Amino acid sequence: MILEGVVTTVSPDGRVNVAPMGPRLLGDPYAAPNRFLLRPYRTARTCANLLAHGEGVLHVTDDVLLLAKAAVGEPDPPPPMRPAEVVRGWVLADACRWYEFRVVSRDERAERVGLEAEVVHAGRGRDFFGLNRAMYAVVEAAILATRTALLPRADIEAEFCKLAVLVEKTGGPREREAFAFLQDYLRRQADPG
């Protein structure tokens, strides 16, 4: 099972990177994770940071606006964070749960690097808001927004139209803001001038 979340890592020069990531849970998918597999693209900052410094923090969050902004660039302004307790890393202040981890093995043979991680500390900030179809529509839109160089533009736009209906019918202000942000991003990709 893949769990959509947000990962924070630290670069060799100390800069924090915030990126959405869907690790594959290893073991019982309905128990608290103690191991998972990250598969960042070799060109991603998250990959470079984890290869240089094999520690980070995986966050479970219902903040789809943060996820949307992190998917297509650095969130501006950066979200509030505090130092992690066990690893050299950062915890998102508004996360529902977080899992500090260390990379225990890596496979660099493919375009997507396989990084098996072991949880060394976990924490809980607040309850998860709950299921909302608009939230998942924003997650899908964020994933599509990162694929503008890989998928036909017409296919992405058609999917955005379907997802917009879910956001309009079931979303609140945060989901609508996140979806509008991604729609604007998609427009800017079509017309960078």
Side-chain angles (χ1 to χ4, degrees):
M1 178 167 76
I2 293 177
L3 172 70
E4 297 298 338
V6 174
V7 171
T8 55
T9 57
V10 179
S11 70
D13 65 358
R15 281 185 284 171
V16 179
N17 183 57
V18 179
M21 185 146 303
R24 181 173 305 280
L25 301 181
L26 304 175
D28 182 353
Y30 299 103
N34 57 14
R35 287 178 97 78
F36 51 86
L37 180 66
L38 297 165
R39 295 186 60 232
Y41 285 99
R42 186 175 298 282
T43 56
R45 267 186 253 154
T46 299
C47 185
N49 291 350
L50 289 173
L51 290 176
H53 167 71
E55 297 180 334
V57 183
L58 168 65
H59 303 84
V60 175
T61 182
D62 52 14
D63 186 348
V64 292
L65 181 57
L66 170 63
L67 194 141
K69 288 181 175 183
V72 297
E74 293 185 32
D76 186 26
M81 292 180 262
R82 64 179 174 280
E85 294 197 25
V86 175
V87 302
R88 189 182 72 141
W90 293 87
V91 173
L92 297 172
D94 193 40
C96 299
R97 294 188 314 270
W98 64 90
Y99 302 93
E100 298 178 31
F101 66 85
R102 288 196 178 107
V103 173
V104 294
S105 70
R106 57 197 207 184
D107 181 351
E108 299 181 56
R109 294 175 292 181
E111 179 185 358
R112 293 182 76 167
V113 175
L115 301 166
E116 187 173 336
E118 179 177 65
V119 174
V120 295
H121 179 74
R124 181 175 174 190
R126 62 181 179 79
D127 288 338
F128 183 73
F129 175 73
L131 297 176
N132 176 307
R133 291 172 67 202
M135 289 177 170
Y136 298 102
V138 171
V139 170
E140 289 302 317
I143 292 167
L144 287 167
T146 67
R147 306 293 195 266
T148 57
L150 304 171
L151 298 174
R153 176 81 182 183
D155 292 355
I156 293 174
E157 289 174 354
E159 289 300 315
F160 260 67
C161 286
K162 293 175 192 173
L163 296 169
V165 173
L166 293 174
V167 173
E168 187 58 37
K169 285 172 71 173
T170 68
R174 193 86 170 162
E175 292 81 16
R176 287 187 177 97
E177 182 180 357
F179 195 76
F181 171 83
L182 291 169
Q183 287 176 310
D184 186 55
Y185 174 82
L186 199 58
R187 277 191 287 279
R188 288 193 316 268
Q189 295 304 303
D191 183 25

